[in-house]
Amino acid sequence: MQAFRQVEHEVVDGSRQHPRPEYPSTEVAGEENTTTAIADTSSDSTIADEKDERDFEKRREDIRSHNPNGLTRTRSDGVDVERAQADFAELSREFSGVSQRSRRASQSQSRRSGPKDATDVEKVISSDASEGDRWDLEETLRGSKAEEMEAGIKSKRIGVIWDNLTVSGIGGVKNFVKTFPDAFVSFFNVPGTIMHIFGYGRKGREFDILKNFRGVVKPGEMVLVLGRPGSGCTTFLKIIANQRFGFTKIDGEVLYGPFDSRTFAKQYRGEAVYNQEDDVHHPTLTVGQTLGFALDTKTPGKRPGGMSKKEFKSKVINLLLKMFNIEHTINTIVGNPFVRGISGGERKRVSIAEMMVTSATVCAWDNTTRGLDASTALDFAKSLRIMTNIYQTTTFVSLYQASENIYSQFDKVMVIDEGRQVFLGPVGEARAYFEGLGFLEKPRQTTPDYLTGCTDPFEREYRHGRDASNAPHDPDTLEKAFNDSVFSTRLTEDMADYRRGVEHEKQIYADFEIAHQEAKGHRTPKSSVYSIPYYMQIWALMQRQFLLKWQDKFSLVVSWITSIVIAIILGTVWLNLPQTSAGAFTRGGLLFISLLFNAFQAFGELASTMMGRPIVNKHRAYTFHRPSALWLAQIIVDVAFAATQIFVFSVIVYFMCGLVRDAGAFFTFVLVIISGYLAMTLFFRTVGCLCPDFDYAMKFAAVIITLFVLTSGYLIQYQSEQVWLSWIFYINALGLGFAALMMNEFKRITLTCESDSLIPSGPGYGDIAHQVCTLIGGAPGSNQVPGSNYILQSFSYNPKDLWRNWGIIIVLIVAFLFLNATLGEAITFGAGGKTVTYFAKEDVERKRLNQELMRKREARYNKKTTETGSDLNITSKAVLTWEGLCYDVPVPSGELRLLKDIFGYVRPGQLTALMGASGAGKTTLLDVLAARKNIGVISGDVLVDGIKPGTAFQRGTSYAEQLDVHEATQTVREALRFSANLRQPYEVSQEEKYAYVEEVISLLEMEDIADAIIGDPESGLAVEQRKRVTIGVELAAKPELLLFLDEPTSGLDSQSAFNIVRFLRKLAAAGQAILCTIHQPNSALFENFDRLLLLQRGGECVYFGNIGKDAVDLLDYFRRNGAYCPPKANPAEWMLDAIGAGQAPRIGDRDWGERWRSSLELANVKGEIARIRSERIQEVGASVKIDQKEYATPLWHQIKIVNKRTHLSFWRSPNYGFTRLFNHVAIALLTGLMYLQLDNSRASLQYRVFVIFQATVLPALILAQVEPKYDLSRLIFYRESAAKAYKQFPFAFAMVLAELPYSIICAVGFFLPIYYIPGFQSASSRAGYQFFIILITELFSVTLGQMISALTPSSFIAMLLNPFVIIVFALFCGVTIPKPQIPKFWRAWLYQLDPFTRLIGGMVVTELHGRTVECTPSEFNAFTAPPGQTCGEYMSDFFQAGGAGYLANNATDMCQYCAYKVGDQFFNPLGFTFNHRWRDLGIFAAFIGSNLILLFVGSRYLNFNRR
């Protein structure tokens, strides 16, 4: 039973890797006995050739004292599995006895010499974690095996063979960046758009990503896949793991044992899995919960030893955490770049552990050591080796910068060059093969670097007497050389043997099928590829969904506060509604808003569905759960959360507003609102599943929401709707819900007519027999109006239909749920994931520059110039020193010290490496030195030339940070020029700056991508290209003092890493001072550095000093302290092992930090710092320079440059501008058509007001788009402003200006349809005013969105505030509740302060002033005049007293009365007057000013970039 075999492996692994005293390993290039993979043995044999025998004996005794179970490693010519198993058993026995004693000794020693300071959290945690662990490897492993045998659990293993494998994709054409006009072209190209949405239609020409691959890997073998970025490694791994979407064509065969890929996918999908390079997790789940969920879905039915599910789960989680040394993170949230959680290296380990839970037989790992330090990376490779040996899995791994030690863990190596397989064979023979082809031997280079270097035209060098004419020189010739080689022949034989074996080994595959079935739960259908049955998947997902909701406390609290505050506001506005004619229309408004507010709480689902896709895709591939199970589980949990919130909301609103006091009515009210919420949630999720990206979703949602709101029956009654639109009512949960709420309320009440509504009224009119109630549904001679009559005549709602309507809502819920589940299963957007690079079109200048770059590259390629002729010359002599540097941050329990008493300096002309384990505080130290920290307390001295850094310090330094944050729409050249323009001194001419930019492009070998759009990680430059841009941007600034780089080589291939370090070396030679953190450097990289600052966990310094040639100075320090580095080890890896950074415990009985603090070397460093200070003070003087400028350029120059870039960014974001315009036009068109050519009837007056009210929808739409845009731009601003490129004013000002052109276009697009289709007044004085006020609304909304963004830490929080702002604005503007009826408290201030009051006031009076009203026959109110009087005579007093309306005929006694004669009579009672319209427009425009003031003040004084 595979998952348990995994546990048992992890037991092995955990025990093997759990801290024990040991002399760190050195591994020899080439093949090795598998024992080496299983135990970290030290390599005595490599020392055997020492001349002095006695010295050798002494050294060996020394080693033994530090490593009681030190073993001798043997070399072999192949991996002999049986021998390995025998060795393994022997090792286990030895290990079991010795390791416990040695571990106990080591722990007591490390405790005695351990940290005194309790705040050294990580160290304390890890020592506690290993306390009392008593692993007995032999017993655990053999016991588990015996249990498995007893339980009758079969082993499952399967090999992979591929032949003539060719994979094609789209590409090869240069894609040019889309601009705003392109969006119109593609929108009106309807067939093309539809084809694009469904993934048809060519995006370029087809080309072969992989061509004619063949090979075989047997169970228990590990293959290292090497190639430069873009050569096809990822594609190969995906195809091997049977992930075939995203490619246009796959030819050839891939067989898993006897099964072809289709059968394997159908029956055993989770048996071949792929671990992608990026870590995709739910950021708010803890590490324990993330792995716990994976195990919930993968716990096998048949468990050895009768273990319960709970025991099994906790055992596996503990093993995985121990295996990767992350036990201390079990209760920490995983986090992501925006949510703070565990470190990047730890997150990578969680991804690895999660995939191990799948217990798959074919595993493909894509660059899985990215971001791990050298020690952890090696531990990971060893874990894979053990796992592969014991469980006979088939393992494929692609790695960049693999060390020799990692390389030697593998059996085979595959080398890919531009989609061609140029080698597949044993790791021990690969190097000799390439040397035999005529390539120059490079003994100092690690084998993986050497192999990939042979495929790089710029790196490869030929042996004497060989060159491109008589040796392979491109992918074709390399492929041909391999096909003609002995390795190819051997591969053909291996493949033939394997195929014959498959025929004969029927039993193995029968066992595989049985084991696959047994790994499933008891009730899982046999045909299912999932381990647990569907209902169990739903249950596991429900638990996870509950945790996701519950742990996201912030969203939860904000949503509850919003809900309760809105409920209280609604309750006070409509406090105790009277059961009179005055309370009829307002009751409708209250019911509508109550439903609408709760239904639109679900709008956030659209974003979360789109964002959650990568996780769903990953879990589907791992066969954790079906996508449809997720949708079902989510909705069940959401109902529980939402129902509670809606119930509290309903209690407040219902009883404050005085709706019918009847239990049945109250619970019906709650039920209908919950049903409406559910239907809308599922609707948004369905849209999220359907749309390929967020812009499509926004367009689609805007149109549908508008339709739903318009056809809901409140804004335009059902009977008045256009025939061709009225059917929407029956699929509109809002309309059905509103109708149900109205029936529920009004069928139970009778309304009394107030004197205002009785016609005629006033002195002398007291006889009810000759009066009529103007409320719809009223009868002559009666002042009582039954509620059911009112809704029947006014809305065509029959109270009998209440439960029919609710039934339809339930049907809609089921339909949406079904759609959601089926679409979730059927559509896989984003699952293929191939990035496309876009380019800016060349102009004359760029064409010339690019040709010049290519000419330089050609010259370098032909070795005409040894190095690029560089005019680099840095004149600064300033020295940065730091003494006694400490950094404390606040944590819930008090203070935590992240850096502890660090001393050091960086000199011009020196390249200093900053190294240490993951989480040792390297980035923290860089942040502190670069003055980037704004929380916590920094103590100690950081000095430049012996004095405190002045205001120009940040400008004079460049800091290439770990996260590559760039303006996505810039080209590489534009990004570098932007940096040079703003950060190099203003006095330097632009020509000079731009020439330097070309220099940097050439040095960083970015000639091919100089005009490429940077894009985002999903669609844009590849990881390593982005890293180069980050470095280039900082170099273009030409820092005077210092260059800081945080992991500039992580995620890069060896060649790129080497080029960057070589370039840094060159910069240092030109006089630059450089401090740089680095992970996993090989020996060749490491020796480029002059000095090393080594940190251990807890932010303690372990060494600061020269490295020396072949690291002689560094190793000498370790040797003097009792740690000996084996000759063939890479010092950069070994030193991390020595200080206990990886799984292996530190060498020696004393803490290395403590040793450093008491060392002579530290005393020398302190002396050197004092000497530097006095020297520099003498040279430059002890005073701070007076003319220090914080920014390199004046403010107006910053405004010009930033503004230009921001405008370009908007121009190149066609979807942003076009989606906004589309939404404006769509809403205006739909509204216009809904109220097509209104007549002059009484109802049309109300409809005209509702059309105008649609203008208040604009801010809701605009905020949703403006806020994320501002927030993303602000992230870039934070990085650039920290480097003192420009101030906040140019940023905020540019954001406002860039929105202007689009705001004007949108205002026109909205105004024309919404004004002229319903037939509004066409006189230019009226139309001009209305357009002007729509434009002001547009600008007001944009500045409001930016202002809210500037005042909130993230767009996520801004989005949570939006509903609150919009609802308050819409409520108090005098439409939903007229001014006279607004409670006095709100009327006194909020009504006046509401910007929409001015908008509605201005538009309504401009439209209705002077408009004559002509009632339709049904709108006349009929009553009789008293005997002997005509209607005219009877009503004359009423009209003379200023009564509104007119009579159809004065001469009869059967009076036909129309309530309004002219539009003014409609709006005067609402508190609006025509004379104030220009005043209102002015006040509305002034609100834009207040938004801008708050925006500028907020962006100036609020910095949410806490670091």
Side-chain angles (χ1 to χ4, degrees), residues 102 116 158 208-209 368 399 477 528 562 597 656 685 1045 1312 1338 1455 1503:
S102 61
K116 307 283 183 290
I158 206 152
D208 291 338
I209 305 172
T368 316
L399 295 178
T477 48
S528 170
T562 309
F597 169 71
M656 279 182 80
R685 281 194 186 150
L1045 300 105
L1312 293 174
E1338 192 74 30
C1455 309
N1503 181 1

Side-chain angles (χ1 to χ4, degrees), residues 1201-1222:
I1201 300 289
V1202 176
N1203 203 13
K1204 184 180 170 188
R1205 180 180 75 171
T1206 312
H1207 274 288
L1208 190 61
S1209 160
F1210 277 69
W1211 183 247
R1212 284 190 187 150
S1213 313
N1215 273 338
Y1216 174 72
F1218 185 73
T1219 300
R1220 197 165 124 199
L1221 176 62
F1222 175 86

Side-chain angles (χ1 to χ4, degrees), residues 1319-1361:
F1320 275 28
Q1321 299 210 17
S1322 54
S1324 56
S1325 62
R1326 303 285 176 98
Y1329 177 92
Q1330 302 283 43
F1331 172 68
F1332 204 39
I1333 206 159
I1334 290 282
L1335 180 59
I1336 291 176
T1337 309
E1338 192 74 30
L1339 298 177
F1340 167 77
S1341 311
V1342 168
T1343 52
L1344 176 71
Q1346 294 181 335
M1347 185 262 286
I1348 291 175
S1349 264
L1351 301 180
T1352 48
S1354 72
S1355 57
F1356 178 69
I1357 295 168
M1359 290 288 197
L1360 291 171
L1361 288 175

Side-chain angles (χ1 to χ4, degrees), residues 1385-1431:
F1385 169 74
W1386 297 118
R1387 192 167 64 223
W1389 64 283
L1390 194 53
Y1391 173 76
Q1392 300 298 342
L1393 272 181
D1394 186 346
F1396 288 5
T1397 303
R1398 312 299 159 190
L1399 165 68
I1400 298 295
M1403 290 188 79
V1404 167
V1405 298
T1406 306
E1407 171 54 29
L1408 298 186
H1409 176 65
R1411 184 177 276 284
T1412 51
V1413 180
E1414 295 160 12
C1415 281
T1416 57
S1418 63
E1419 288 175 338
F1420 282 107
N1421 295 103
F1423 57 92
T1424 55
Q1429 280 185 298
T1430 63
C1431 293

Side-chain angles (χ1 to χ4, degrees), residues 566-581:
I566 291 288
I568 291 170
I569 291 175
L570 291 177
T572 53
V573 169
W574 277 289
L575 193 62
N576 287 325
L577 285 170
Q579 288 199 4
T580 63
S581 53

